[in-house]
Amino acid sequence: MPVLEATMTPKSAHEAALHNFDLAANELNLEPDVREMIKYPERILEVTLPVRMDDGHIHRFEGYRVQHSTARGPGKGGIRYHPNVTLDEVKALATWMTWKCAVVNIPFGGAKGGITCSPKDMSQIELERLTRRYAASILPLIGPDQDIPAPDVYTNSQTMAWIMDTYSMTKGYPIPGVVTGKPISLGGSLGRNEATGRGVFYTTLSALEFLKIPVKGAKVVVQGFGNAGSIAAQLLHEAGAVVIAVSDSKACIFNSKGFDIPKLMAYKDKTGQVLGFPSSEEIQPAELLALNCEILVPAALENSIDSNNAPSIRTKVVAEAANGPVTPDGDAVLESKGVFLIPDILCNAGGVTVSYFEWVQDTQHLFWDTQDVYKRLEHIMKVSFGDVLKIHRDHRVPMRTAANMLGIGRVAEAIKIRGLYP
Ligand code: NAD
């Protein structure tokens, strides 16, 4: 049964997550009973969110919170605001969170949330009303020992502050540990904002070292110049790499000599886009992916690399800052071309790792300095990269399967030791 499932072509993000689960579970020879217990989400909450808009009418939004696993600790995972959010996508993202927390060996399970909405078309006050209604609706599921949300695409520290406030008001006292990715003034951690990009940077350096490619002069292409993508670009730029192309939802830009990344970040902050940055040439999305480079960083959304565009890719390393950017069909093409993949559940795990640090600091009411956060993050990312690489080499499996084997193996161990309730 699992072998057959693993050879099917997945049609959605959740099917892709299940497909990759089967590949790793087969390598691990995981017992059928254990597979049944850990493959599917533990809890799914679907909520209807009526919100009064600025023009006075009431608009109905749909939202979700999925807890995939709490076997190793409280649920943990971000909240996404995007027009294409679906329950299927949230289930996939929650599943990946479970394996990701286990890969970096932090004591959390996996969860995720999302609201189908167009945040760019909404005012701040509409976003606040939507967020507070959503927080109130998922209240039975969340809590510092139950399930701890964080930012994801088009949500940020302000969104987390509203959730923390809504939750705290219902309990009657401040509970900062209910969310991570908060503003520093509310108990956020130093280094959290840049943690995902920094983790991408550390794992990319480890991959380059393994492949004996010098970082100095390495050409980098970044799809999705947001939080994760821009910080990864900035750190690679500081290390001497040359970022030759970046994109956002509006456009792709190119400069063969490389961009001044701090200036590009300031330009994007000011104008809300990368298009029009001085000395840049606009190119098409397909051209961006096909650029000759050492490092390609997909940092936007799922399924951006598939069997249609993967054949044109000319990079040595794909560093998956985004969750699920390569489809299983795309994986097969990249594998056949000898591209070295740093899989999402390893590559972008810096975000949840510093979220864990934030939760620890909130719980202990004792805060660390930035260098302490960076040092601990670097250690965890490098150890985790080494653990995944070892499985990749020992078992001769793709890096994605190796990462899934590490994560799924740890969750399976926890499930087996806990036993079956009742
Ligand atoms: P973000 O909202 O800060 O940035 C997303 C960027 O992608 C934006 O610049 C947007 O314009 C761009 N984008 C959207 N559609 C695009 C398209 N079709 N082509 C090119 N660019 C496009 O979000 P983020 O937090 O950086 O998240 C990006 C990815 O990283 C997501 O997959 C997210 O799940 C993943 N991730 C983020 C974190 C985190 O801590 N922020 C942690 C782990 C994983």
Side-chain angles (χ1 to χ4, degrees):
M1 167 196 68
V3 178
L4 270 180
E5 282 179 20
T7 56
M8 280 174 1
T9 302
K11 293 183 186 59
S12 71
H14 189 230
E15 281 185 21
L18 296 180
H19 170 96
N20 286 328
F21 171 89
D22 286 330
L23 292 179
N26 291 345
E27 284 294 331
L28 289 167
N29 287 321
L30 209 60
E31 303 88 322
D33 284 358
V34 178
R35 293 184 195 220
E36 285 302 303
M37 285 174 72
I38 68 174
K39 191 170 170 179
Y40 301 99
E42 279 174 19
R43 277 194 196 95
I44 297 175
L45 180 61
E46 193 168 347
V47 292
T48 296
L49 307 166
V51 175
R52 190 169 302 281
M53 308 303 279
D54 290 346
D55 66 4
H57 89 282
I58 291 176
H59 189 85
R60 180 180 57 83
F61 295 89
E62 279 173 14
Y64 312 94
R65 185 73 188 171
V66 174
Q67 290 174 352
H68 175 261
S69 172
T70 54
R72 300 178 75 253
K76 185 85 194 81
I79 291 172
R80 179 173 294 190
Y81 287 0
H82 194 276
N84 298 341
V85 164
T86 60
L87 177 57
D88 180 276
E89 180 186 59
V90 179
K91 278 158 68 177
L93 291 162
T95 308
W96 291 325
M97 285 306 298
T98 302
W99 317 140
K100 187 185 301 184
C101 291
V103 163
V104 286
N105 215 359
I106 57 177
F108 285 139
K112 203 83 181 190
I115 303 178
T116 315
C117 63
S118 299
K120 286 182 181 172
D121 301 331
M122 295 171 68
S123 69
Q124 274 297 94
I125 191 73
E126 286 172 339
L127 284 171
E128 179 173 354
R129 285 195 288 259
L130 174 66
T131 303
R132 287 185 181 279
R133 181 69 191 218
Y134 173 71
S137 299
I138 65 166
L139 207 80
L141 289 198
I142 60 172
D145 298 317
Q146 284 174 266
D147 180 357
I148 306 138
D152 190 71
V153 174
Y154 299 149
T155 55
N156 53 31
S157 58
Q158 175 62 77
T159 324
M160 295 307 113
W162 290 327
I163 295 177
M164 178 267 183
D165 183 69
T166 306
Y167 185 82
S168 300
M169 292 310 288
T170 65
K171 302 287 174 187
Y173 57 98
I175 308 171
V178 65
V179 285
T180 58
K182 293 180 293 295
I184 304 293
S185 56
L186 282 183
S189 176
L190 292 168
R192 172 61 185 91
N193 185 49
E194 61 270 32
T196 303
R198 188 163 273 278
V200 172
F201 172 65
Y202 292 140
T203 53
T204 302
L205 287 190
S206 295
L208 293 179
E209 195 182 325
F210 170 64
L211 298 169
K212 300 191 171 48
I213 300 171
V215 65
K216 212 166 166 32
K219 291 193 287 303
V220 181
V221 171
V222 178
Q223 179 199 51
F225 199 67
N227 173 282
S230 67
I231 304 282
Q234 182 195 7
L235 293 170
L236 286 164
H237 169 82
E238 281 170 12
V242 185
V243 183
I244 58 169
V246 307
S247 66
D248 60 15
S249 58
K250 294 184 189 133
C252 310
I253 59 168
F254 170 73
N255 180 335
S256 62
K257 295 204 178 71
F259 293 117
D260 181 328
I261 296 297
K263 282 194 180 148
L264 179 55
M265 287 168 88
Y267 179 85
K268 165 101 183 161
D269 265 357
K270 198 167 143 210
T271 64
Q273 57 182 33
V274 295
L275 187 66
F277 183 63
S279 311
S280 71
E281 175 194 336
E282 186 177 1
I283 57 172
Q284 293 307 306
E287 292 176 86
L288 174 121
L289 286 179
L291 286 168
N292 193 358
C293 60
E294 273 71 40
I295 305 157
L296 172 63
V297 185
L301 295 168
E302 299 90 67
N303 302 337
S304 58
I305 298 174
D306 57 21
S307 54
N308 295 319
N309 55 19
S312 67
I313 284 176
R314 289 185 295 156
T315 185
K316 295 195 171 71
V317 176
V318 168
E320 290 188 322
N323 285 306
V326 184
T327 65
D329 289 353
D331 269 342
V333 177
L334 296 183
E335 178 80 8
S336 71
K337 289 165 74 101
V339 173
F340 186 88
L341 179 88
I342 314 172
D344 48 7
I345 60 170
L346 168 66
C347 191
N348 69 34
V352 75
T353 301
V354 178
S355 273
Y356 164 58
F357 297 163
E358 180 174 332
W359 179 80
V360 168
Q361 292 169 80
D362 287 340
T363 312
Q364 299 185 343
H365 309 286
L366 182 66
F367 289 87
W368 310 344
D369 66 30
T370 311
Q371 287 314 314
D372 207 1
V373 170
Y374 289 170
K375 208 171 72 199
R376 288 171 191 262
L377 174 64
E378 180 172 9
H379 175 73
I380 288 185
M381 296 310 294
K382 292 202 162 157
V383 167
S384 306
F385 182 91
D387 290 346
V388 173
L389 188 69
K390 184 167 185 330
I391 297 174
H392 163 70
R393 300 179 81 182
D394 289 355
H395 292 256
R396 297 173 180 276
V397 291
M399 281 291 281
R400 188 180 314 286
T401 304
N404 278 320
M405 286 169 70
L406 181 61
I408 292 166
R410 284 179 174 156
V411 178
E413 192 187 331
I415 288 272
K416 284 193 245 181
I417 294 172
R418 281 180 63 156
L420 181 59
Y421 176 89

